[in-house]
Amino acid sequence: MEESIADWQHKAVRVHRRKVFTLGWNSEAKRLASGSVDQTVRITRVDDHCNVKQETELRGHSDGVTNLSWHPTHPDKLASIAGQEKSVRFWDTRNSKNTATVSTPGANLYLAWSPDSHYVAVGNREDVVSIVDTRKMKVAHKYPFKYQVNEMAFTRDGKHLLLCTGQGELEMLSFPDMRKQRSLKGHTASVMSVALDRQQRYIATGGGDAVACLWDTEDFICQRTYIGMDYPIRCLSFSHDSKYMSIAGEQAVLDVENVETGQSLGRLQLHCTPEDVAWNPRHHLLAYVGKYGVDYGEIELRWK
């Protein structure tokens, strides 16, 4: 029987002064970025033995940082959005500089960086998706939707943008022309979250119906559903080898599933709802908001 996630090694690290909203590993898998209500992005270096070192603080946002995305290939650059700000900020962590700020049509909720690094898709509260050209640092196109749009993700080849919708479907749009190619309908409520595995075998969706669906990328058939949650699922993440998937949302638990066998690695009981979870892109190392993440900005690491 596989070791329970509760028995993996773990440590808690206080990174921020207030609640942590968003997490992400860089392309080298050595640095963890976190965004917080305290209006900062913090960079924490994590070595192969899970020793941690606080490295950089990025200041400039005027509201809580709600989402971030590392540059897909450059290990020192990232983008972030915050609260009611109508812009995307780009950073170089080597000198802690805000290298560019691109104005957008509204206050933003979600962002995704294309694999070739040339575009960042940004979704706002008015359900408008803006495509930022990072070579010119300006909005190249704006696409308003007549229904709710939530989290987004690019496919690994960059030819499609996956869009979670309030219609219970995941839309697959060709990129860059944004034409609808297909819809994956597996939810009875809004689709809130989406994740793709690094092996390009699976797409996972999480919904307001508290269900997570696992789709194959060949026939786009739902292979499995996870129904252990009682509240909406807002964050999904695959391990680097596509073996494990974490599921979390609007309840104080974190589930980890073995994708290959369909068996559960167990459930972590948390003291707060985890706003985000993130598997390291090279190791079996999971980051999530820790026990005191709401009040004291703590992140927890768990590895084997």
Side-chain angles (χ1 to χ4, degrees):
M1 183 143 178
E2 192 162 13
E3 184 180 23
S4 168
I5 185 68
D7 295 328
W8 288 23
Q9 298 181 73
H10 70 280
K11 69 167 55 176
V13 185
R14 185 176 178 184
V15 179
H16 290 273
R17 292 174 289 279
R18 297 179 65 190
K19 183 177 182 178
V20 177
F21 268 133
T22 179
L23 299 168
W25 295 93
N26 75 341
S27 59
E28 287 186 336
K30 296 180 180 179
R31 297 156 84 203
L32 179 67
S34 53
S36 167
V37 176
D38 66 16
Q39 303 179 7
T40 69
V41 175
R42 292 283 188 95
I43 309 299
T44 303
R45 181 170 289 276
V46 184
D47 69 16
D48 292 344
H49 303 287
C50 278
N51 297 309
V52 299
K53 179 183 179 182
Q54 302 299 319
E55 198 170 77
T56 308
E57 183 179 74
L58 307 180
R59 289 181 167 272
H61 283 293
S62 59
D63 206 344
V65 180
T66 51
N67 216 318
L68 60 82
S69 179
W70 284 94
H71 188 289
T73 57
H74 198 301
D76 299 307
K77 296 182 179 181
L78 60 82
S80 60
I81 55 178
Q84 296 298 317
E85 290 182 2
K86 297 180 179 181
S87 61
V88 184
R89 290 180 182 265
F90 293 85
W91 307 87
D92 189 325
T93 62
R94 291 169 295 188
N95 51 25
S96 303
K97 282 191 176 180
N98 179 193
T99 55
T101 301
V102 179
S103 296
T104 56
N108 301 304
L109 291 170
Y110 305 100
L111 79 164
W113 211 317
S114 66
D116 63 6
S117 79
H118 294 165
Y119 301 98
V120 171
V122 189
N124 71 20
R125 296 176 189 272
E126 286 75 46
D127 303 312
V128 176
V129 175
S130 300
I131 305 299
V132 176
D133 187 327
T134 59
R135 296 160 295 183
K136 300 177 181 178
M137 284 301 174
K138 69 177 186 180
V139 174
H141 301 283
K142 291 179 284 187
Y143 298 95
F145 287 81
K146 295 181 180 179
Y147 43 84
Q148 183 186 88
V149 293
N150 298 313
E151 193 171 48
M152 302 172 291
F154 282 94
T155 53
R156 300 296 177 189
D157 58 9
K159 294 181 179 180
H160 295 91
L161 179 66
L162 304 181
L163 193 65
C164 299
T165 76
Q167 298 179 311
E169 299 178 353
L170 179 76
E171 291 190 355
M172 179 176 286
L173 308 177
S174 57
F175 192 82
D177 59 7
M178 297 286 280
R179 295 181 183 275
K180 185 175 176 179
Q181 301 298 303
R182 67 169 70 238
S183 294
L184 306 183
K185 185 167 180 61
H187 297 273
T188 58
S190 296
V191 183
M192 311 298 296
S193 54
V194 59
L196 296 92
D197 76 313
R198 297 177 68 84
Q199 312 296 320
Q200 305 181 60
R201 294 160 55 195
Y202 303 112
I203 298 170
T205 55
D209 54 5
V211 173
C213 295
L214 184 72
W215 310 81
D216 75 86
T217 55
E218 186 171 339
D219 301 314
F220 298 101
I221 295 173
C222 183
Q223 301 292 315
R224 194 175 298 136
T225 57
Y226 302 91
I227 57 173
M229 291 289 184
D230 298 318
Y231 294 93
I233 294 170
R234 289 190 172 272
C235 37
L236 298 162
S237 182
F238 284 99
S239 61
H240 69 284
D241 55 1
S242 308
K243 185 176 181 180
Y244 302 125
M245 181 175 70
S246 60
I247 305 170
E250 296 180 10
Q251 66 189 100
V253 298
L254 171 60
D255 286 355
V256 178
E257 307 289 333
N258 186 315
V259 177
E260 297 171 352
T261 65
Q263 299 299 308
S264 173
L265 266 71
R267 166 171 287 186
L268 296 175
Q269 296 290 338
L270 308 178
H271 288 250
C272 61
T273 57
E275 294 289 343
D276 204 4
V277 295
W279 281 98
N280 184 283
R282 293 187 185 177
H283 308 288
H284 285 146
L285 167 61
L286 182 63
Y288 56 96
V289 178
K291 179 178 178 181
Y292 299 107
V294 173
D295 299 319
Y296 301 108
E298 190 176 83
I299 293 171
E300 198 155 316
L301 302 172
R302 198 165 284 264
W303 71 97
K304 71 170 184 175

